[in-house]
Amino acid sequence: MQITDLETELKMHPLLRLAFRPLFLFGAAFSALAILIWGLALFGKIHIEPVGNILFWHSHEMIFGFACAIVIGFLLTAMQNWTGLRAPHGKQLFFLITLWLLSRALMLWGAALPLWLVIFIDIVFLPSAAVLLAIPILAAKQVRNLFFIPILLLLTACNAISWLGLYLHDYALQQHGLYNAVLLITLLMSILGGRVLPMFTANGTLTKKVDPIVWLDRLALGALWLIFIQQFLKLENYLPHPVIGLLYAVAAALLSVRCARWKLWITFKVPLLWSLHLAYWFIPVGLALFAMHYSGISLNGNAILKSTAMHALTAGAMGSMILAMMARVSLGHTGRPLQVSPLMVPAFMLVLSAGISRSLLLILFPELTQTILALSIIFWVSAYSLFCFCYSRILTTDRADGRPG
């Protein structure tokens, strides 16, 4: 698809040509740096005073700083394929990236500034991206993809709730906003995964594409919507916990069936595929851990904390799927063969190990909490550092095939 001319494109720095370039590179680098800072602070090696406190900074930045940046990078890039219209680039993209970078800097070093200023600059990023996404989708009358606009606005609301909790010194409200966002991003990953994983698998293994079962997809995604709604409305304060546990269990079972149909076992020779499949499997695992938490079921005699189940969805599903998707999208949209550097294979394994460590290993071996946390931090930082090493040149130079983009 050629929707801009090469001469105009070459006058523009590659980082400003499509949103995936700066947001993937800066987002990945930021995640490695943020987890490193968090780990050093956690183990008392450094002392920092970010906006709010170190725990709020860590949680907020990994969700709204890191994960949302990658989501926006993906959506603003995919939108060009969906609509056939030019995606945000140049000055529009520069504004968006500057806003994101400024938010990250203020979150870390802006504690002395008025809180309202930091909140405003941080919150504006998602609705600004939603506007840039909505304009071409509306112009192309892509009704199916308008769905992503309310998702981004809901994420903005979640961000606002977490900030309100900080302003009111209400830790439960902070967590409420953050947990809402995690479940919403989980829903988004489930939707996008269902769209692309069967196609990627068929293309990468030269096999027949697995056709969706409509009722299964609707039930699975419907269950995730119900989970988000009950979390957003705090229904756990009114409903018996076993009922909520049953809802999580049903969602986990439906997503497991959905995922199993995509045939993980035929992807083991293709790192770009097995990394995505294993990342997706973290979603039903995380949901199952939530089901066990609300039902009072222990694992190996150890109670399952809500935060541990949440980390199966963040460190596990988000961390692994984001890395795998960035690796594939970056190659495809820069005109390169879908063959990753040999260094990305250990990167995929490291980020999967970080997710396993931060969730399942902590449940099984609580007496080794400090060691496991240290390992998960090392795994994450190493994985995302490898991505930056392998992809920095790819994301900052012209397409390999000489086309615009």
mmCIF file of all heavy atoms in Angstrom, residues 13-17 20-22 24-26 28-29 330-331 333-337 341 344 384-401 405:
data_model
loop_
_atom_site.group_PDB
_atom_site.id
_atom_site.type_symbol
_atom_site.label_atom_id
_atom_site.label_comp_id
_atom_site.label_asym_id
_atom_site.label_seq_id
_atom_site.Cartn_x
_atom_site.Cartn_y
_atom_site.Cartn_z
ATOM 1 N N HIS A 13 12.561 12.211 9.307
ATOM 2 C CA HIS A 13 13.330 11.204 10.051
ATOM 3 C C HIS A 13 12.493 9.931 10.181
ATOM 4 O O HIS A 13 11.281 9.992 10.430
ATOM 5 C CB HIS A 13 13.691 11.736 11.436
ATOM 6 C CG HIS A 13 14.711 10.889 12.130
ATOM 7 N ND1 HIS A 13 14.399 9.687 12.744
ATOM 8 C CD2 HIS A 13 16.047 11.056 12.290
ATOM 9 C CE1 HIS A 13 15.500 9.151 13.257
ATOM 10 N NE2 HIS A 13 16.511 9.963 12.993
ATOM 11 N N PRO A 14 13.108 8.761 10.005
ATOM 12 C CA PRO A 14 12.352 7.505 10.084
ATOM 13 C C PRO A 14 11.501 7.366 11.351
ATOM 14 O O PRO A 14 10.410 6.781 11.299
ATOM 15 C CB PRO A 14 13.450 6.437 10.023
ATOM 16 C CG PRO A 14 14.540 7.070 9.233
ATOM 17 C CD PRO A 14 14.517 8.525 9.615
ATOM 18 N N LEU A 15 11.968 7.906 12.476
ATOM 19 C CA LEU A 15 11.205 7.778 13.726
ATOM 20 C C LEU A 15 9.853 8.484 13.664
ATOM 21 O O LEU A 15 8.959 8.178 14.452
ATOM 22 C CB LEU A 15 12.010 8.338 14.900
ATOM 23 C CG LEU A 15 13.064 7.411 15.515
ATOM 24 C CD1 LEU A 15 13.858 8.146 16.575
ATOM 25 C CD2 LEU A 15 12.427 6.154 16.101
ATOM 26 N N LEU A 16 9.698 9.422 12.732
ATOM 27 C CA LEU A 16 8.456 10.191 12.651
ATOM 28 C C LEU A 16 7.559 9.749 11.499
ATOM 29 O O LEU A 16 6.590 10.430 11.163
ATOM 30 C CB LEU A 16 8.779 11.686 12.510
ATOM 31 C CG LEU A 16 9.506 12.320 13.693
ATOM 32 C CD1 LEU A 16 9.782 13.790 13.419
ATOM 33 C CD2 LEU A 16 8.690 12.166 14.975
ATOM 34 N N ARG A 17 7.867 8.589 10.908
ATOM 35 C CA ARG A 17 7.083 8.146 9.758
ATOM 36 C C ARG A 17 5.862 7.329 10.143
ATOM 37 O O ARG A 17 4.819 7.425 9.512
ATOM 38 C CB ARG A 17 7.976 7.351 8.797
ATOM 39 C CG ARG A 17 9.055 8.209 8.163
ATOM 40 C CD ARG A 17 10.001 7.397 7.299
ATOM 41 N NE ARG A 17 11.133 8.211 6.844
ATOM 42 C CZ ARG A 17 12.175 7.733 6.202
ATOM 43 N NH1 ARG A 17 12.243 6.423 5.919
ATOM 44 N NH2 ARG A 17 13.159 8.541 5.837
ATOM 45 N N PHE A 20 4.700 3.153 15.290
ATOM 46 C CA PHE A 20 5.359 2.012 15.915
ATOM 47 C C PHE A 20 6.854 2.263 16.110
ATOM 48 O O PHE A 20 7.450 1.742 17.062
ATOM 49 C CB PHE A 20 5.149 0.733 15.078
ATOM 50 C CG PHE A 20 6.041 0.614 13.870
ATOM 51 C CD1 PHE A 20 7.228 -0.107 13.935
ATOM 52 C CD2 PHE A 20 5.698 1.215 12.669
ATOM 53 C CE1 PHE A 20 8.051 -0.223 12.830
ATOM 54 C CE2 PHE A 20 6.499 1.097 11.554
ATOM 55 C CZ PHE A 20 7.688 0.387 11.636
ATOM 56 N N ARG A 21 7.464 3.052 15.250
ATOM 57 C CA ARG A 21 8.914 3.258 15.330
ATOM 58 C C ARG A 21 9.329 3.901 16.662
ATOM 59 O O ARG A 21 10.091 3.303 17.429
ATOM 60 C CB ARG A 21 9.390 4.089 14.145
ATOM 61 C CG ARG A 21 9.362 3.354 12.794
ATOM 62 C CD ARG A 21 9.779 4.281 11.675
ATOM 63 N NE ARG A 21 9.897 3.644 10.371
ATOM 64 C CZ ARG A 21 10.996 3.061 9.900
ATOM 65 N NH1 ARG A 21 12.089 3.033 10.658
ATOM 66 N NH2 ARG A 21 11.025 2.516 8.701
ATOM 67 N N PRO A 22 8.864 5.114 16.976
ATOM 68 C CA PRO A 22 9.307 5.707 18.243
ATOM 69 C C PRO A 22 8.688 5.055 19.472
ATOM 70 O O PRO A 22 9.368 4.880 20.494
ATOM 71 C CB PRO A 22 8.858 7.168 18.112
ATOM 72 C CG PRO A 22 7.699 7.129 17.180
ATOM 73 C CD PRO A 22 8.016 6.033 16.200
ATOM 74 N N PHE A 24 7.563 1.930 19.982
ATOM 75 C CA PHE A 24 8.148 0.624 20.288
ATOM 76 C C PHE A 24 9.551 0.778 20.873
ATOM 77 O O PHE A 24 9.884 0.163 21.893
ATOM 78 C CB PHE A 24 8.222 -0.247 19.029
ATOM 79 C CG PHE A 24 6.905 -0.843 18.599
ATOM 80 C CD1 PHE A 24 5.713 -0.460 19.193
ATOM 81 C CD2 PHE A 24 6.846 -1.788 17.581
ATOM 82 C CE1 PHE A 24 4.491 -1.000 18.793
ATOM 83 C CE2 PHE A 24 5.639 -2.335 17.174
ATOM 84 C CZ PHE A 24 4.465 -1.941 17.778
ATOM 85 N N LEU A 25 10.374 1.606 20.231
ATOM 86 C CA LEU A 25 11.759 1.748 20.675
ATOM 87 C C LEU A 25 11.840 2.434 22.044
ATOM 88 O O LEU A 25 12.479 1.923 22.964
ATOM 89 C CB LEU A 25 12.558 2.541 19.645
ATOM 90 C CG LEU A 25 14.043 2.736 19.963
ATOM 91 C CD1 LEU A 25 14.757 1.399 20.112
ATOM 92 C CD2 LEU A 25 14.714 3.583 18.879
ATOM 93 N N PHE A 26 11.180 3.572 22.174
ATOM 94 C CA PHE A 26 11.230 4.298 23.441
ATOM 95 C C PHE A 26 10.489 3.534 24.536
ATOM 96 O O PHE A 26 10.908 3.524 25.698
ATOM 97 C CB PHE A 26 10.621 5.695 23.282
ATOM 98 C CG PHE A 26 11.377 6.593 22.345
ATOM 99 C CD1 PHE A 26 10.777 7.715 21.807
ATOM 100 C CD2 PHE A 26 12.691 6.321 21.977
ATOM 101 C CE1 PHE A 26 11.463 8.560 20.932
ATOM 102 C CE2 PHE A 26 13.397 7.140 21.105
ATOM 103 C CZ PHE A 26 12.769 8.265 20.579
ATOM 104 N N ALA A 28 10.054 0.227 24.820
ATOM 105 C CA ALA A 28 10.862 -0.921 25.244
ATOM 106 C C ALA A 28 12.032 -0.479 26.115
ATOM 107 O O ALA A 28 12.311 -1.078 27.160
ATOM 108 C CB ALA A 28 11.371 -1.687 24.025
ATOM 109 N N ALA A 29 12.716 0.578 25.675
ATOM 110 C CA ALA A 29 13.854 1.078 26.456
ATOM 111 C C ALA A 29 13.384 1.574 27.821
ATOM 112 O O ALA A 29 14.036 1.332 28.849
ATOM 113 C CB ALA A 29 14.554 2.198 25.696
ATOM 114 N N SER A 330 7.599 -4.833 13.812
ATOM 115 C CA SER A 330 8.742 -4.012 13.405
ATOM 116 C C SER A 330 9.395 -4.550 12.137
ATOM 117 O O SER A 330 9.851 -3.777 11.287
ATOM 118 C CB SER A 330 9.775 -3.951 14.533
ATOM 119 O OG SER A 330 9.242 -3.339 15.683
ATOM 120 N N LEU A 331 9.443 -5.866 12.006
ATOM 121 C CA LEU A 331 10.004 -6.453 10.781
ATOM 122 C C LEU A 331 9.069 -6.243 9.596
ATOM 123 O O LEU A 331 9.490 -5.803 8.523
ATOM 124 C CB LEU A 331 10.263 -7.946 10.987
ATOM 125 C CG LEU A 331 11.350 -8.323 11.989
ATOM 126 C CD1 LEU A 331 11.394 -9.836 12.175
ATOM 127 C CD2 LEU A 331 12.713 -7.817 11.532
ATOM 128 N N HIS A 333 6.655 -4.059 9.070
ATOM 129 C CA HIS A 333 6.419 -2.685 8.646
ATOM 130 C C HIS A 333 7.692 -1.944 8.245
ATOM 131 O O HIS A 333 7.632 -0.756 7.924
ATOM 132 C CB HIS A 333 5.684 -1.918 9.750
ATOM 133 C CG HIS A 333 4.216 -2.220 9.793
ATOM 134 N ND1 HIS A 333 3.308 -1.583 8.980
ATOM 135 C CD2 HIS A 333 3.499 -3.102 10.536
ATOM 136 C CE1 HIS A 333 2.098 -2.056 9.222
ATOM 137 N NE2 HIS A 333 2.184 -2.976 10.162
ATOM 138 N N THR A 334 8.825 -2.625 8.281
ATOM 139 C CA THR A 334 10.048 -2.014 7.734
ATOM 140 C C THR A 334 10.548 -2.803 6.529
ATOM 141 O O THR A 334 11.698 -2.651 6.107
ATOM 142 C CB THR A 334 11.161 -1.942 8.805
ATOM 143 O OG1 THR A 334 11.437 -3.254 9.313
ATOM 144 C CG2 THR A 334 10.766 -1.020 9.948
ATOM 145 N N GLY A 335 9.672 -3.648 5.973
ATOM 146 C CA GLY A 335 9.990 -4.341 4.731
ATOM 147 C C GLY A 335 11.048 -5.409 4.867
ATOM 148 O O GLY A 335 11.787 -5.673 3.904
ATOM 149 N N ARG A 336 11.126 -6.038 6.030
ATOM 150 C CA ARG A 336 12.140 -7.070 6.250
ATOM 151 C C ARG A 336 11.495 -8.450 6.343
ATOM 152 O O ARG A 336 10.326 -8.567 6.707
ATOM 153 C CB ARG A 336 12.940 -6.769 7.524
ATOM 154 C CG ARG A 336 13.880 -5.581 7.370
ATOM 155 C CD ARG A 336 14.472 -5.141 8.700
ATOM 156 N NE ARG A 336 15.556 -4.172 8.491
ATOM 157 C CZ ARG A 336 15.360 -2.875 8.263
ATOM 158 N NH1 ARG A 336 14.120 -2.390 8.232
ATOM 159 N NH2 ARG A 336 16.394 -2.065 8.088
ATOM 160 N N PRO A 337 12.261 -9.500 6.039
ATOM 161 C CA PRO A 337 11.722 -10.862 6.197
ATOM 162 C C PRO A 337 11.341 -11.116 7.654
ATOM 163 O O PRO A 337 11.963 -10.581 8.574
ATOM 164 C CB PRO A 337 12.889 -11.759 5.760
ATOM 165 C CG PRO A 337 13.788 -10.879 4.966
ATOM 166 C CD PRO A 337 13.647 -9.497 5.523
ATOM 167 N N SER A 341 16.402 -11.975 14.724
ATOM 168 C CA SER A 341 17.808 -12.192 15.080
ATOM 169 C C SER A 341 17.904 -13.358 16.063
ATOM 170 O O SER A 341 17.004 -13.558 16.892
ATOM 171 C CB SER A 341 18.367 -10.925 15.727
ATOM 172 O OG SER A 341 19.539 -11.202 16.456
ATOM 173 N N MET A 344 16.994 -12.713 19.653
ATOM 174 C CA MET A 344 15.619 -12.540 20.116
ATOM 175 C C MET A 344 15.028 -13.822 20.680
ATOM 176 O O MET A 344 14.065 -13.773 21.444
ATOM 177 C CB MET A 344 14.743 -12.013 18.976
ATOM 178 C CG MET A 344 14.937 -10.533 18.676
ATOM 179 S SD MET A 344 14.727 -9.474 20.152
ATOM 180 C CE MET A 344 13.007 -9.783 20.550
ATOM 181 N N TYR A 384 14.183 -7.023 27.359
ATOM 182 C CA TYR A 384 13.869 -5.782 26.651
ATOM 183 C C TYR A 384 15.128 -5.043 26.207
ATOM 184 O O TYR A 384 15.097 -4.302 25.206
ATOM 185 C CB TYR A 384 12.946 -4.903 27.503
ATOM 186 C CG TYR A 384 11.501 -5.304 27.314
ATOM 187 C CD1 TYR A 384 10.928 -6.320 28.085
ATOM 188 C CD2 TYR A 384 10.728 -4.720 26.328
ATOM 189 C CE1 TYR A 384 9.616 -6.714 27.883
ATOM 190 C CE2 TYR A 384 9.413 -5.106 26.113
ATOM 191 C CZ TYR A 384 8.862 -6.107 26.894
ATOM 192 O OH TYR A 384 7.559 -6.506 26.672
ATOM 193 N N SER A 385 16.221 -5.249 26.900
ATOM 194 C CA SER A 385 17.492 -4.683 26.435
ATOM 195 C C SER A 385 17.932 -5.360 25.142
ATOM 196 O O SER A 385 18.455 -4.701 24.228
ATOM 197 C CB SER A 385 18.574 -4.851 27.514
ATOM 198 O OG SER A 385 18.252 -4.117 28.679
ATOM 199 N N LEU A 386 17.724 -6.661 25.055
ATOM 200 C CA LEU A 386 18.047 -7.382 23.819
ATOM 201 C C LEU A 386 17.195 -6.879 22.660
ATOM 202 O O LEU A 386 17.684 -6.738 21.531
ATOM 203 C CB LEU A 386 17.853 -8.889 24.017
ATOM 204 C CG LEU A 386 18.945 -9.618 24.780
ATOM 205 C CD1 LEU A 386 18.525 -11.055 25.094
ATOM 206 C CD2 LEU A 386 20.252 -9.617 23.987
ATOM 207 N N PHE A 387 15.913 -6.606 22.928
ATOM 208 C CA PHE A 387 15.064 -6.060 21.862
ATOM 209 C C PHE A 387 15.624 -4.736 21.369
ATOM 210 O O PHE A 387 15.722 -4.493 20.153
ATOM 211 C CB PHE A 387 13.629 -5.869 22.349
ATOM 212 C CG PHE A 387 12.761 -5.148 21.351
ATOM 213 C CD1 PHE A 387 12.126 -5.843 20.329
ATOM 214 C CD2 PHE A 387 12.589 -3.765 21.409
ATOM 215 C CE1 PHE A 387 11.357 -5.177 19.388
ATOM 216 C CE2 PHE A 387 11.820 -3.092 20.476
ATOM 217 C CZ PHE A 387 11.200 -3.801 19.459
ATOM 218 N N CYS A 388 15.961 -3.855 22.296
ATOM 219 C CA CYS A 388 16.498 -2.542 21.908
ATOM 220 C C CYS A 388 17.786 -2.695 21.101
ATOM 221 O O CYS A 388 18.004 -1.973 20.113
ATOM 222 C CB CYS A 388 16.742 -1.684 23.150
ATOM 223 S SG CYS A 388 15.229 -1.188 23.995
ATOM 224 N N PHE A 389 18.631 -3.625 21.505
ATOM 225 C CA PHE A 389 19.888 -3.861 20.783
ATOM 226 C C PHE A 389 19.617 -4.359 19.364
ATOM 227 O O PHE A 389 20.254 -3.914 18.401
ATOM 228 C CB PHE A 389 20.739 -4.874 21.548
ATOM 229 C CG PHE A 389 22.024 -5.228 20.861
ATOM 230 C CD1 PHE A 389 23.117 -4.378 20.910
ATOM 231 C CD2 PHE A 389 22.140 -6.420 20.144
ATOM 232 C CE1 PHE A 389 24.303 -4.702 20.256
ATOM 233 C CE2 PHE A 389 23.315 -6.750 19.495
ATOM 234 C CZ PHE A 389 24.403 -5.888 19.549
ATOM 235 N N CYS A 390 18.674 -5.281 19.230
ATOM 236 C CA CYS A 390 18.404 -5.892 17.925
ATOM 237 C C CYS A 390 17.606 -4.975 17.002
ATOM 238 O O CYS A 390 17.751 -5.048 15.769
ATOM 239 C CB CYS A 390 17.640 -7.200 18.104
ATOM 240 S SG CYS A 390 18.579 -8.523 18.900
ATOM 241 N N TYR A 391 16.761 -4.105 17.564
ATOM 242 C CA TYR A 391 15.810 -3.371 16.738
ATOM 243 C C TYR A 391 16.059 -1.867 16.651
ATOM 244 O O TYR A 391 15.352 -1.193 15.895
ATOM 245 C CB TYR A 391 14.382 -3.626 17.250
ATOM 246 C CG TYR A 391 13.817 -4.945 16.792
ATOM 247 C CD1 TYR A 391 14.097 -6.113 17.480
ATOM 248 C CD2 TYR A 391 13.022 -5.021 15.657
ATOM 249 C CE1 TYR A 391 13.591 -7.337 17.054
ATOM 250 C CE2 TYR A 391 12.511 -6.231 15.217
ATOM 251 C CZ TYR A 391 12.802 -7.387 15.924
ATOM 252 O OH TYR A 391 12.300 -8.592 15.483
ATOM 253 N N SER A 392 17.017 -1.337 17.391
ATOM 254 C CA SER A 392 17.215 0.115 17.355
ATOM 255 C C SER A 392 17.547 0.592 15.940
ATOM 256 O O SER A 392 17.009 1.612 15.474
ATOM 257 C CB SER A 392 18.314 0.528 18.346
ATOM 258 O OG SER A 392 19.528 -0.141 18.057
ATOM 259 N N ARG A 393 18.410 -0.128 15.241
ATOM 260 C CA ARG A 393 18.757 0.271 13.870
ATOM 261 C C ARG A 393 17.571 0.073 12.927
ATOM 262 O O ARG A 393 17.307 0.923 12.056
ATOM 263 C CB ARG A 393 19.958 -0.541 13.377
ATOM 264 C CG ARG A 393 20.420 -0.140 11.983
ATOM 265 C CD ARG A 393 21.648 -0.931 11.536
ATOM 266 N NE ARG A 393 21.994 -0.605 10.155
ATOM 267 C CZ ARG A 393 21.421 -1.154 9.098
ATOM 268 N NH1 ARG A 393 20.484 -2.074 9.257
ATOM 269 N NH2 ARG A 393 21.793 -0.800 7.876
ATOM 270 N N ILE A 394 16.838 -1.016 13.100
ATOM 271 C CA ILE A 394 15.675 -1.287 12.247
ATOM 272 C C ILE A 394 14.640 -0.180 12.359
ATOM 273 O O ILE A 394 14.059 0.265 11.362
ATOM 274 C CB ILE A 394 15.048 -2.652 12.631
ATOM 275 C CG1 ILE A 394 15.993 -3.797 12.253
ATOM 276 C CG2 ILE A 394 13.682 -2.842 11.983
ATOM 277 C CD1 ILE A 394 15.543 -5.152 12.758
ATOM 278 N N LEU A 395 14.411 0.297 13.575
ATOM 279 C CA LEU A 395 13.360 1.282 13.825
ATOM 280 C C LEU A 395 13.782 2.711 13.510
ATOM 281 O O LEU A 395 12.929 3.606 13.431
ATOM 282 C CB LEU A 395 12.900 1.185 15.286
ATOM 283 C CG LEU A 395 12.197 -0.117 15.662
ATOM 284 C CD1 LEU A 395 12.009 -0.226 17.170
ATOM 285 C CD2 LEU A 395 10.854 -0.239 14.953
ATOM 286 N N THR A 396 15.066 2.943 13.325
ATOM 287 C CA THR A 396 15.542 4.315 13.106
ATOM 288 C C THR A 396 16.121 4.533 11.711
ATOM 289 O O THR A 396 16.711 5.578 11.443
ATOM 290 C CB THR A 396 16.615 4.690 14.149
ATOM 291 O OG1 THR A 396 17.694 3.743 14.084
ATOM 292 C CG2 THR A 396 16.035 4.688 15.556
ATOM 293 N N THR A 397 15.945 3.557 10.834
ATOM 294 C CA THR A 397 16.454 3.697 9.457
ATOM 295 C C THR A 397 15.334 3.424 8.458
ATOM 296 O O THR A 397 14.236 2.971 8.826
ATOM 297 C CB THR A 397 17.623 2.733 9.195
ATOM 298 O OG1 THR A 397 17.197 1.383 9.480
ATOM 299 C CG2 THR A 397 18.816 3.063 10.078
ATOM 300 N N ASP A 398 15.623 3.685 7.183
ATOM 301 C CA ASP A 398 14.627 3.497 6.125
ATOM 302 C C ASP A 398 14.201 2.034 6.016
ATOM 303 O O ASP A 398 14.909 1.119 6.455
ATOM 304 C CB ASP A 398 15.202 3.938 4.775
ATOM 305 C CG ASP A 398 15.504 5.425 4.732
ATOM 306 O OD1 ASP A 398 14.895 6.172 5.517
ATOM 307 O OD2 ASP A 398 16.368 5.825 3.922
ATOM 308 N N ARG A 399 13.044 1.830 5.418
ATOM 309 C CA ARG A 399 12.580 0.482 5.134
ATOM 310 C C ARG A 399 13.591 -0.251 4.260
ATOM 311 O O ARG A 399 14.240 0.360 3.383
ATOM 312 C CB ARG A 399 11.225 0.511 4.414
ATOM 313 C CG ARG A 399 10.039 0.863 5.287
ATOM 314 C CD ARG A 399 8.775 0.891 4.453
ATOM 315 N NE ARG A 399 8.528 -0.393 3.794
ATOM 316 C CZ ARG A 399 7.523 -1.223 4.104
ATOM 317 N NH1 ARG A 399 6.687 -0.911 5.078
ATOM 318 N NH2 ARG A 399 7.363 -2.347 3.438
ATOM 319 N N ALA A 400 13.705 -1.541 4.448
ATOM 320 C CA ALA A 400 14.670 -2.337 3.680
ATOM 321 C C ALA A 400 14.282 -2.461 2.217
ATOM 322 O O ALA A 400 15.131 -2.659 1.353
ATOM 323 C CB ALA A 400 14.811 -3.715 4.300
ATOM 324 N N ASP A 401 12.975 -2.339 1.920
ATOM 325 C CA ASP A 401 12.525 -2.522 0.537
ATOM 326 C C ASP A 401 12.421 -1.194 -0.232
ATOM 327 O O ASP A 401 11.934 -1.175 -1.363
ATOM 328 C CB ASP A 401 11.169 -3.246 0.508
ATOM 329 C CG ASP A 401 10.102 -2.529 1.338
ATOM 330 O OD1 ASP A 401 10.355 -1.382 1.777
ATOM 331 O OD2 ASP A 401 9.024 -3.108 1.557
ATOM 332 N N GLY A 405 7.470 4.593 4.626
ATOM 333 C CA GLY A 405 6.924 3.999 5.859
ATOM 334 C C GLY A 405 7.937 3.845 6.938
ATOM 335 O O GLY A 405 9.130 3.853 6.721
#
